Amino acid sequence: MPYTTAFERAMGTGMIIQSATALDDGFRSKLDAFIDGYESVLSRFRADSLVTAMGESSHGGSFDFPDWASGLFDLADAFCTATDGALDPCVGEDLIRLGYDARYSMTMEPDAEHHLGAVHGRPTWRNDVERHGTTLVTQRAVHLDFGAFGKGYCADLIGTILDGHAGDETVRQSATGPGSHAPYIIDAGGDLLIRTGESAQPAPLAEESGHDTGDTVTIALEDPANPGTEAIGIASIVDGAFCASAPSRRHWGEEAGRQLHHLLNAVDGRPVRDVAASWVYVPSAAGRPYPTALADGLATACFVTAPDELARAFDFECAAVHADRTAIMSRHFPGNFFTV
C-alpha cells in the first residue's frame, strides 16, 4: 500500500492510515474533523470533552452522547459482564488517583490506596451509570476512561468512513472484486484494522507456509521486557483486527513494590502484575461491526480475566506472556512465538 496518511496527535498516540490510493486533502480534512469530534466527546485529557464534564458534575446529571457512541456503550456492557466488573470504564477515577491524570502529573495521590477500585466505593458502570440509548445518567461525579477499547472503536469508525469512500471511482478501481473494499491498514497506536481485499481468513502460520503472500501483513510480537528493540514472535494477518496490550510503554513509578501503569483491575483499582503482554486477533466477519474495538478491549481483558472465561462470551484468538515469561497461545492464533 504505497500511500501513507498520518494524524500525529490523534488519540494521544497518533494514527497512521496506509492505503492503496491517495487520500486527497478534502478527505483528510474530513477525517481530521471526525477524530477531533471523537476526542471532544470521549477524551478525559481534554477540558472541553463530555466525559470531563461528567467527572466535574459532583451531583451527576444527564449527558447526551452522539449516536455513534451506541456501539461503544454496548461493548462496555459486554466487557463489564464478561469480566465481572474487572474491565470497567469508571476506572478513570483510579487512573487519576494513581497519577495518570489530565495534567500527566504521574504522581500518586497520598491517600489513593484507601479509595482505589470498586471495593472502596468508586462508581461502577453497572451500578452508577444509567444508560438510555446514548444518554448516560449519573447521580454523582463519574470519571470515565474508554482507553481499553476506545482507540480500536475509533479505528473501526474510520474504517467505515474509508469503506464509504471506496464508492469513489478512483478507489473502486483498486478493489479486488465485486463488493470488496479498497485495501487499507489503520494503525491507531498499535491497534490495527487490516483490510487487504482478501477474504477474512487467518493467513497460514509462518512455519507452515515458509513465506508471506503478497496480501499478508506480518506483525512482530514485541518483547515486553525489551520494547522497541526485540520481538518474541510474529503474526501473519490477511484481514481483520489485531491489537496488543502491555504496560511496557506506559508506566511510571512504583507503589509498595508494584509498578504503576495503566492496565488496572477495576475491582481493586490496582495495576495488574501477573500478565506482561497480550495479543488478540479478531477476523472480519458479517455481523461483527467493531472488530478492532473488540480486539482492543479483549487484549486488555486478558490482563484481568482468563482467556478461557472470555471465550465464553467472545470469538477471538489470543496469545499472552506472563510476568514469569511463561506463554499461552490459542489453537488458531495466526502466529508463533520464537522458540530456542
Side-chain angles (χ1 to χ4, degrees):
M1 300 186 193
Y3 297 96
T4 299
T5 306
F7 303 86
E8 295 180 359
R9 297 179 178 83
M11 311 301 294
T13 58
M15 182 179 294
I16 297 172
I17 299 175
Q18 293 178 284
S19 55
T21 57
L23 304 182
D24 61 35
D25 291 343
F27 191 73
R28 180 198 165 88
S29 296
K30 177 181 178 179
L31 294 179
D32 259 327
F34 176 79
I35 294 169
D36 182 71
Y38 187 90
E39 293 180 329
S40 74
V41 172
L42 297 177
S43 175
R44 66 180 179 86
F45 298 98
R46 283 182 56 156
D48 63 343
S49 76
L50 191 51
V51 297
T52 295
M54 292 182 69
E56 293 176 345
S57 299
S58 58
H59 299 292
S62 179
F63 304 89
D64 296 323
F65 284 75
D67 290 343
W68 53 251
S70 178
L72 186 77
F73 297 161
D74 288 343
L75 286 167
D77 293 340
F79 285 132
C80 279
T81 299
T83 64
D84 197 19
L87 196 163
D88 186 329
C90 293
V91 77
E93 181 175 320
D94 297 329
L95 289 167
I96 292 170
R97 292 187 184 280
L98 290 172
Y100 194 26
D101 51 33
R103 298 180 294 108
Y104 296 99
S105 68
M106 303 307 178
T107 301
M108 183 174 171
E109 294 180 1
D111 61 344
E113 62 180 298
H114 302 297
H115 300 281
L116 292 173
V119 295
H120 285 120
R122 190 257 294 125
T124 66
W125 179 261
R126 292 186 287 185
N127 296 327
D128 295 273
V129 180
E130 183 180 337
R131 180 185 171 191
H132 301 278
T134 55
T135 296
L136 303 183
V137 179
T138 60
Q139 302 301 318
R140 55 174 169 161
V142 174
H143 297 270
L144 296 178
D145 182 286
F146 290 100
F149 48 98
K151 290 202 312 304
Y153 192 74
C154 185
D156 287 324
L157 295 180
I158 289 177
T160 299
I161 296 173
L162 289 172
D163 291 343
H165 190 57
D168 293 352
E169 182 63 28
T170 55
V171 178
R172 196 180 325 128
Q173 290 174 355
S174 69
T176 59
S180 61
H181 297 303
Y184 60 80
I185 299 173
I186 300 174
D187 181 350
D191 297 330
L192 303 175
L193 176 58
I194 299 168
R195 302 284 201 217
T196 65
E198 296 296 321
S199 60
Q201 298 294 326
L205 298 183
E207 67 177 12
E208 296 175 351
S209 64
H211 63 279
D212 293 333
T213 68
D215 292 313
T216 298
V217 178
T218 300
I219 303 164
L221 308 183
E222 184 177 76
D223 186 345
N226 298 285
T229 60
E230 295 185 15
I232 56 175
I234 59 169
S236 299
I237 308 298
V238 171
D239 197 276
F242 190 86
C243 297
S245 191
S248 52
R249 288 181 176 270
R250 195 175 302 173
H251 59 86
W252 63 97
E254 287 190 358
E255 179 266 328
R258 181 193 299 259
Q259 186 183 68
L260 297 178
H261 58 76
H262 68 295
L263 296 166
L264 312 183
N265 185 319
V267 175
D268 62 18
R270 295 183 179 277
V272 178
R273 291 189 290 183
D274 300 333
V275 181
S278 65
W279 298 268
V280 169
Y281 169 65
V282 173
S284 296
R288 187 182 287 126
Y290 306 111
T292 323
L294 180 58
D296 191 12
L298 286 169
T300 301
C302 284
F303 277 74
V304 297
T305 303
D308 287 347
E309 292 291 323
L310 295 171
R312 296 178 181 179
F314 306 104
D315 182 16
F316 68 102
E317 302 295 332
C318 73
V321 174
H322 297 107
D324 63 1
R325 300 292 285 183
T326 59
I328 61 172
M329 182 176 289
S330 62
R331 180 177 177 82
H332 299 294
F333 183 78
N336 286 311
F337 287 121
F338 300 141
T339 57
V340 179

